[in-house]
Amino acid sequence: MAEVAESPGDPGTASPRPLFAGLSDISISQDIPIEGEITIPMRSRSREFDSSTLNESVQNTIMRDLKAVGKKFMHVLYPRKSNTLLRDWDLWGPLILCVTLALMLQRGSVDSEKDGGPQFAEVFVIVWFGAVTITLNSKLLGGNISFFQSLCVLGYCILPLTVAMLICRLVLLAEPGPINFMVRLFVVIVMFAWSIVASTAFLADSQPPNRKALAVYPVFLFYFVISWMILTFTPQ
Amino acid sequence: MATPAAPAGGARSGAGPEWGGFEENIQGGGSAVIDMENMDDTSGSSFEDMGELHQRLREEEVDADAAAADDEDGEFLGMKGFKGQLSRQVADQMWQAGKRQASRAFSLYANIDILRPYFDVEPDQVRSRLLESMIPIKMVNFPQKIAGELYGPLMLVFTLVAILLHGMKTSDTIIREGTLMGTAIGTCFGYWLGVSSFIYFLAYLCNAQITMLQMLALLGYGLFGHCIVLFITYNIHLHALFYLFWLLVGGLSTLRMVAVLVSRTVGPTQRLLLCGTLAALHMLFLLYLHFAYHKVVEGILDTLEGPNVPPMQRVPRDVPAVLPAARLPATVLNATAKALAASLQSH
């Protein structure tokens, strides 16, 4: 690199030096490399995180996901105004619950005479399309919740109804009768109310305050249909 | 090149100290920064950097053999390094372009914000509109206002589906081809959308001043009467009660819709055509919903004591495949007529 350097000073020059004359003293040489990083700090951190979860064992991943799902189940069973469900949403829990419910509600027989009951695909479709419809409705009413967050909350709040289905299945093992029906009715009603309270606790804050009722009504219908399917289920 | 060059850049992760910087700059969205330090460009500096690279690698190694091996490795890495960087950059830009196109297409077609103004309602507005749908207004000389919203009608259709489901379950309706839920949803949505479109078409023919949205809203709110009647009569199985409610509640909601349409149509023939059609369809739909999906308690009692009349069932629309095409409609009509006759007889 050619060093363009003027001799620093000619002492004794009486003439005024031009304004930026001194700048020509500065030269860039290879001795002083220009350092710097043009990086986006967040990116490197997230990539480190990604690569670290990619390299961990499968058991670790599964256990971590299961623990997250379990924690959210606890939040649904004891609904408080928190936004754990909203903050890190995931759809594993809703999938597990939906599949469990659909499997239990499925009619065993392939009889064409008695296929008035819901099949697996029907329950699955009802749950997911119902959740999508409610989400779209709450977004259109002016809610500030994202699509997947709402799906996550609605799916997780099916947990009480799945528990009701399990209890009903157990109760149906006893002999049928009006007492049987009353017990099942009571259980289903309680779990239905629990589902609605849980989902309202999570969803209500995302709606403008005067439209909460408008957003909660379709949730009520949705869980009503599922409860009805559970209540009227009779095994062959 | 006697100067021991300090490694440019601070903390770098990656395979080697030089190439790690590329990863940080390229991967990740939107970073168009290319680390030009080691890129092949027309200035001769890259060769100097290559030289530096070799030097650095040589200096890092203690063993001569390892140094030699790494020398080749380093050179190999070097060539792959910036080619890899180039290809990565190109791939990144292609991804960005594709993503931009996809999101544009998505926002164009799947934009639910198109529907947002139709859902802009308050709960008391919905409540008042529900109540008004049962009150026919006498003023037919002035076009009556119809609120163009879709929340109320949509919720009413879903409520009707839920009530229908409840009715079908309690009556043990046997659906041969299809499912209960599918039938309920298909019936209710089919009625709402289909009859709205049909009446809108007729309104177009009769020069009535009504838009599709308003027709959807009008018919949707007209289903409120249906919901009430079916909710009560699916639980209280009295036919006299049903006929009373059919006339009263169904009649009121039909009258309201008819009054609104009359106020928006000019000419007696057109008014008659439009309103007659709507009234007939609306009342007949309620009749159909009650009889097609509802257990006939008296019929069951009859089977226990009287003649062997089977309880109400949905007649399977199985059309025998052997029939020639000309006789098919007749067969279907016959089957329907028989079913209706059986149901009416059993009451």
Side-chain angles (χ1 to χ4, degrees), chain B residues 100-155:
Chain B
R100 236 175 292 132
Q101 268 189 341
S103 61
R104 222 180 297 144
F106 181 75
S107 65
L108 189 64
Y109 293 114
N111 197 5
I112 62 165
D113 283 334
I114 303 173
L115 293 176
R116 204 177 275 271
Y118 307 137
F119 281 76
D120 190 16
V121 287
E122 306 291 321
D124 19 324
Q125 277 180 327
V126 175
R127 205 181 321 132
S128 63
R129 281 172 198 165
L130 282 176
L131 292 175
E132 276 168 12
S133 75
M134 304 298 296
I135 305 171
I137 303 190
K138 283 243 178 70
M139 182 175 59
V140 294
N141 301 321
F142 188 73
Q144 293 182 20
K145 200 165 87 70
I146 307 175
E149 57 136 325
L150 286 178
Y151 174 81
L154 204 63
M155 287 306 126

Side-chain angles (χ1 to χ4, degrees), chain B:
Chain B
M1 289 275 149
T3 57
R12 273 175 170 171
S13 61
E18 298 79 25
W19 313 117
F22 296 152
E23 283 157 27
E24 286 177 9
N25 288 337
I26 299 166
Q27 288 177 11
S31 164
V33 174
I34 304 174
D35 190 29
M36 293 296 288
E37 188 182 303
N38 290 323
M39 278 287 281
D40 185 20
D41 55 0
T42 50
S43 78
S45 59
S46 59
F47 296 116
E48 297 175 68
D49 287 332
M50 287 301 205
E52 249 184 298
L53 171 67
H54 291 311
Q55 182 124 29
R56 209 174 301 150
L57 285 170
R58 255 180 243 124
E59 282 164 12
E60 278 171 19
E61 294 312 310
V62 181
D63 278 349
D65 302 335
D70 276 348
D71 230 6
E72 290 160 11
D73 271 355
E75 194 170 314
F76 178 70
L77 247 184
M79 295 308 289
K80 199 169 89 166
F82 65 81
K83 259 194 204 157
Q85 184 192 17
L86 251 180
S87 66
R88 238 175 290 155
Q89 194 68 7
V90 168
D92 187 45
Q93 281 173 357
M94 276 180 55
W95 165 256
Q96 295 289 333
K99 195 163 98 156
R100 236 175 292 132
Q101 268 189 341
S103 61
R104 222 180 297 144
F106 181 75
S107 65
L108 189 64
Y109 293 114
N111 197 5
I112 62 165
D113 283 334
I114 303 173
L115 293 176
R116 204 177 275 271
Y118 307 137
F119 281 76
D120 190 16
V121 287
E122 306 291 321
D124 19 324
Q125 277 180 327
V126 175
R127 205 181 321 132
S128 63
R129 281 172 198 165
L130 282 176
L131 292 175
E132 276 168 12
S133 75
M134 304 298 296
I135 305 171
I137 303 190
K138 283 243 178 70
M139 182 175 59
V140 294
N141 301 321
F142 188 73
Q144 293 182 20
K145 200 165 87 70
I146 307 175
E149 57 136 325
L150 286 178
Y151 174 81
L154 204 63
M155 287 306 126
L156 279 170
V157 173
F158 280 126
T159 312
L160 192 62
V161 168
I163 295 176
L164 215 60
L165 210 62
H166 162 57
M168 285 200 278
K169 277 287 191 181
T170 50
S171 72
D172 294 329
T173 306
I174 298 174
I175 310 276
R176 283 180 203 266
E177 320 249 321
T179 60
L180 273 179
M181 196 68 199
T183 313
I185 291 183
T187 310
C188 296
F189 269 97
Y191 174 77
W192 183 46
L193 296 170
V195 172
S196 289
S197 320
F198 179 62
I199 300 288
Y200 176 67
F201 168 67
L202 278 186
Y204 172 74
L205 289 181
C206 299
N207 272 331
Q209 305 281 324
I210 196 166
T211 66
M212 183 67 189
L213 172 72
Q214 287 172 330
M215 192 59 227
L216 281 171
L218 191 67
L219 195 64
Y221 274 112
L223 287 175
F224 181 54
H226 284 23
C227 287
I228 296 179
V229 174
L230 290 174
F231 183 65
I232 297 178
T233 56
Y234 277 164
N235 294 315
I236 308 175
H237 309 278
L238 286 177
H239 283 289
L241 190 70
F242 169 70
Y243 285 120
L244 186 70
F245 271 115
W246 178 61
L247 279 175
L248 263 182
V249 180
L252 271 179
S253 73
T254 313
L255 269 179
R256 157 133 185 117
M257 290 199 298
V258 159
V260 169
L261 275 182
V262 160
S263 74
R264 288 170 168 254
T265 319
V266 177
T269 323
Q270 288 93 329
R271 283 178 172 181
L272 191 64
L273 176 67
L274 200 55
C275 303
T277 318
L278 181 61
L281 284 172
H282 204 63
M283 300 295 271
L284 285 178
F285 183 59
L286 186 52
L287 217 58
Y288 167 73
L289 283 181
H290 178 81
F291 286 114
Y293 298 110
H294 176 58
K295 177 187 274 185
V296 176
V297 181
E298 288 82 4
I300 298 292
L301 291 178
D302 279 345
T303 59
L304 294 178
E305 33 185 304
N308 210 8
V309 181
M312 181 60 196
Q313 283 186 3
R314 256 177 78 86
V315 179
R317 306 276 170 130
D318 305 327
V319 179
V322 207
L323 273 184
R327 305 240 314 262
L328 274 168
T331 321
V332 171
L333 275 175
N334 279 342
T336 323
K338 267 190 223 143
L340 272 177
S343 72
L344 286 173
Q345 258 183 358
S346 60
H347 294 339

